[in-house]
Amino acid sequence: MHRRFARSFAFAQDDNCMASEIRVRFAPSPTGYLHIGGARTALFNWLFTRHHGGKFVLRIEDTDRTRNIEEAMAAICDGLQWLGLNWDEGPHIGGDFGPYLQSERTELYESYLKKLQDGGHIFEDQGALRFRSPREHVIVDDLVCGKIDFDLSNEQTHPDMTIRRPDGSWIFHFVNVIDDMEMKISHVIRGEDHLSNTPKHIEIFRALGAMPPHYAHIPLILNKDGSKMSKRDEGASVEYYIKRGYLPAAVRNYLCLLGWSPKDNREKINIEEIIRLFDLNNVGRSQATFDPDKLHWLNGEYARELSDSEFYALALTKLKSSGVKIDNYPEQYIQSALQTCKGKINTFDKLLAYCGFYFTDDFDYNPEGVAKHFTAENKPRLKAVRDAFSALQSFDAAEIETTLKTTAANLGVKVGAIVHPTRLAVSGSNIGPSLYHLLEVLGKEKVLARIDRALSKFF
RNA sequence: GGCGCGUUCGUCUAGUGGCUAGGACACAGCCCUCUCAAGGCUGGUGCACGGGUUCGACUCCCGUACGCGCUGCCA
């Protein structure tokens, strides 16, 4: 009830000031990696502006004076770009409200500090500067959480916040507010961990005589075990998915589904459609657990939808980065080899294990497969396959299929009985691409050699 | 401890007083099949608990429990 009222109220305000542009920001600190939760926050900000037609600002909150800011910032920018979350203002591209690194905005903070001091809002405490709270109730009218009444009247439970350290460096609460004000941010969309900070931020806006922006606090993303996803957790950074060969569109789609839903049972939705449907009033309020399995499935959905050339390009890149000596093989060979893998793997990090046998003769044989298929009774069968193959003129998938089937019939066994030993002999694995096509790609010579090798090695 | 937020299958969610509580991932079985995928079919598990309000609560109110967040001279 409260929530709905709060929302209509907030949007009524928007309607009254149509002139003011919608401006949102993503304001990470340069930790050196893009957290998956941060990426989702950035994504929701981005979706919100793309839906309403506003500006998406990237601001780096580097008040901590870390070294290697360039490097740490690059990880974040790369992650955002990989996800397709382009910013309209910020590092690299500038804008009318820069600079976009807090470390370069000190004079601005000084001047606002002066204003606050002149207004009697600041006092010194052992060399640090604190903001004196007016000690009132502050109502946060949140677009996702509804109206929340915070009672800040008790100094014991809500001490005056520090805004500047004795060494002159700034505290997040202060610079964050100043920047949102100066950059004319209209909607602050951020993680729910900031909800309790919001009344304090509003106090600063008021002390400066400014209107606070609209707030929207989105639920946090948790680990499988219910704990907060932290840097140490596997899969907590976007980079992890880049390295594993996930598709950005799939990761982005998955992230959208955490705390937001199209409400019509669709899971795989293209980004244009999401932009069309997305709004703050259909963002959920409860925390979501990150489910790697579902992401993996969704990635497979996207992977299967890739065109042949897209798949080939991505697969080739992956093979090269995996150290496969690709130059030793003709392009046509590589192409047909990779084509047999299309639609079979959900993520590209599985590619090498799936098709490595195409690019080396020196592969391992799966032990369970050996125990199961390289049996005494299968020896004559594998020999029969070998002989049948050697008699073939054209070694194409159709011929191979026919040959295997007639061979099986002659032996009085099901085709599976000879398929498995053959696959194992030529690829070392009991899973893989379609055997008929795989054999065609490998070519008669290699196939016969590998069968011979298996025959002499295991029987 | 105080303050705040949350709680529908294991997980993500749909659901705004009357539904056999729907979908998806995962899981199990079956079908298809040269393996693996994919696809098809079937199955199981869910409204945290206790009070109200109401003719009737998953849905509204209160409390409890649990989870998470904030409570920093971190962001």
Side-chain angles (χ1 to χ4, degrees):
Chain A
M1 245 349 205
H2 280 301
R3 187 185 183 197
R4 299 178 74 194
F5 172 74
R7 284 174 170 178
S8 55
F9 176 70
F11 285 116
Q13 279 188 331
D14 278 350
D15 292 341
N16 289 339
C17 42
M18 287 297 278
S20 60
E21 190 189 14
I22 287 185
R23 293 174 57 80
V24 301
R25 70 351 184 239
F26 176 54
S29 67
T31 49
Y33 76 111
L34 179 58
H35 189 271
I36 200 80
R40 205 264 252 135
T41 300
L43 172 62
F44 279 24
N45 272 282
W46 182 86
L47 287 170
F48 181 72
T49 21
R50 297 290 105 119
H51 175 86
H52 288 287
K55 292 281 194 296
F56 178 48
V57 178
L58 177 61
R59 178 174 81 222
I60 304 296
E61 305 218 328
D62 58 339
T63 53
D64 240 10
R65 313 179 170 185
T66 29
R67 318 239 157 116
N68 301 327
I69 282 179
E70 277 302 321
E71 207 175 297
M73 204 170 81
I76 288 167
C77 293
D78 291 351
L80 290 174
Q81 274 165 348
W82 184 74
L83 285 167
L85 306 181
N86 56 310
W87 52 99
D88 305 302
E89 293 173 27
H92 307 312
I93 60 173
D96 295 339
F97 299 85
Y100 293 90
L101 301 202
Q102 287 185 332
S103 55
E104 295 169 8
R105 298 169 66 82
T106 313
E107 298 98 80
L108 183 75
Y109 305 142
E110 297 277 5
S111 74
Y112 275 97
L113 173 62
K114 182 82 174 26
K115 276 192 199 173
L116 249 20
Q117 282 171 323
D118 291 348
H121 299 287
I122 303 297
F123 67 96
E124 192 170 338
D125 174 22
Q126 292 175 46
L129 298 183
R130 289 180 184 270
F131 174 83
R132 195 187 308 282
S133 167
R135 307 249 150 264
E136 295 167 343
H137 279 250
V138 176
I139 302 204
V140 175
D141 190 2
D142 192 278
L143 262 17
V144 169
C145 302
K147 268 192 180 175
I148 304 162
D149 185 347
F150 289 91
D151 180 2
L152 306 191
S153 62
N154 186 342
E155 189 178 345
Q156 299 306 308
T157 55
H158 295 87
D160 292 320
M161 68 181 138
T162 306
I163 65 164
R164 193 176 202 181
R165 302 184 189 88
D167 70 358
S169 58
W170 304 99
I171 302 297
F172 155 76
H173 300 293
F174 176 67
V175 292
N176 183 270
V177 164
I178 300 307
D179 285 342
D180 284 344
M181 190 185 308
E182 269 290 311
M183 293 181 178
K184 295 192 167 23
I185 299 303
S186 65
H187 294 72
V188 170
I189 304 169
R190 63 192 356 177
E192 198 185 86
D193 48 340
H194 288 296
L195 184 56
S196 301
N197 292 326
T198 306
K200 296 191 273 192
H201 296 179
I202 290 176
E203 285 185 329
I204 299 180
F205 274 103
R206 288 185 181 158
L208 255 9
M211 269 286 280
H214 295 295
Y215 289 97
H217 289 89
I218 64 179
L220 266 21
I221 298 179
L222 305 177
N223 279 316
K224 261 308 205 211
D225 66 1
S227 64
K228 187 171 146 186
M229 261 194 155
S230 74
K231 187 173 185 173
R232 315 193 57 160
D233 293 309
E234 188 182 69
S237 76
V238 170
E239 194 188 13
Y240 174 90
Y241 301 94
I242 301 177
K243 284 189 171 158
R244 292 272 179 133
Y246 280 78
L247 298 166
V251 175
R252 189 174 56 194
N253 189 158
Y254 177 71
L255 254 19
C256 287
L257 262 21
L258 255 25
W260 176 85
S261 159
K263 301 191 190 290
D264 59 4
N265 290 338
R266 276 182 296 175
E267 311 288 332
K268 179 171 178 296
I269 321 171
N270 68 35
I271 197 66
E272 290 77 20
E273 180 70 355
I274 295 176
I275 289 172
R276 197 174 69 73
L277 297 171
F278 184 90
D279 210 342
L280 258 15
N281 56 15
N282 46 41
V283 169
R285 301 182 70 176
S286 52
Q287 300 151 329
T289 303
F290 191 88
D291 183 1
D293 287 337
K294 185 156 181 177
L295 204 209
H296 189 257
W297 163 77
L298 193 56
N299 201 76
E301 292 290 299
Y302 277 87
R304 265 165 242 122
E305 212 180 53
L306 257 19
S307 71
D308 288 354
S309 60
E310 285 169 331
F311 180 84
Y312 178 65
L314 289 166
L316 196 60
T317 305
K318 187 65 197 175
L319 281 189
K320 282 178 180 165
S321 68
S322 307
V324 174
K325 300 270 185 295
I326 221 79
D327 299 332
N328 300 346
Y329 299 87
E331 192 183 335
Q332 186 51 243
Y333 176 83
I334 302 170
Q335 242 172 42
S336 355
L338 290 175
Q339 185 60 31
T340 66
C341 305
K342 184 161 181 269
K344 301 287 210 147
I345 50 168
N346 278 13
T347 55
F348 283 90
D349 61 328
K350 303 285 194 313
L351 184 65
L352 187 59
Y354 195 78
C355 76
F357 65 88
Y358 279 125
F359 306 103
T360 178
D361 291 321
D362 183 28
F363 52 80
D364 294 327
Y365 296 83
N366 177 285
E368 287 116 58
V370 170
K372 192 172 175 191
H373 300 299
F374 286 169
T375 58
E377 72 171 345
N378 276 343
K379 184 176 183 180
R381 294 171 183 167
L382 190 54
K383 274 188 98 129
V385 170
R386 191 233 179 265
D387 293 341
F389 281 170
S390 71
L392 278 181
Q393 294 303 310
S394 65
F395 204 69
D396 60 76
E399 275 302 305
I400 292 166
E401 181 171 355
T402 312
T403 307
L404 277 169
K405 283 182 174 162
T406 48
T407 306
N410 293 342
L411 291 168
V413 296
K414 285 194 210 166
V415 70
I418 56 175
V419 158
H420 298 299
T422 307
R423 174 187 296 283
L424 190 61
V426 301
S427 76
S429 175
N430 36 21
I431 63 171
S434 155
L435 181 66
Y436 308 140
H437 298 87
L438 173 172
L439 292 171
E440 175 185 323
V441 172
L442 239 26
K444 186 171 166 180
E445 193 184 331
K446 236 182 250 184
V447 168
L448 294 180
R450 288 184 183 186
I451 294 178
D452 286 338
R453 182 176 64 175
L455 245 14
S456 61
K457 193 168 175 180
F458 293 99
F459 295 93

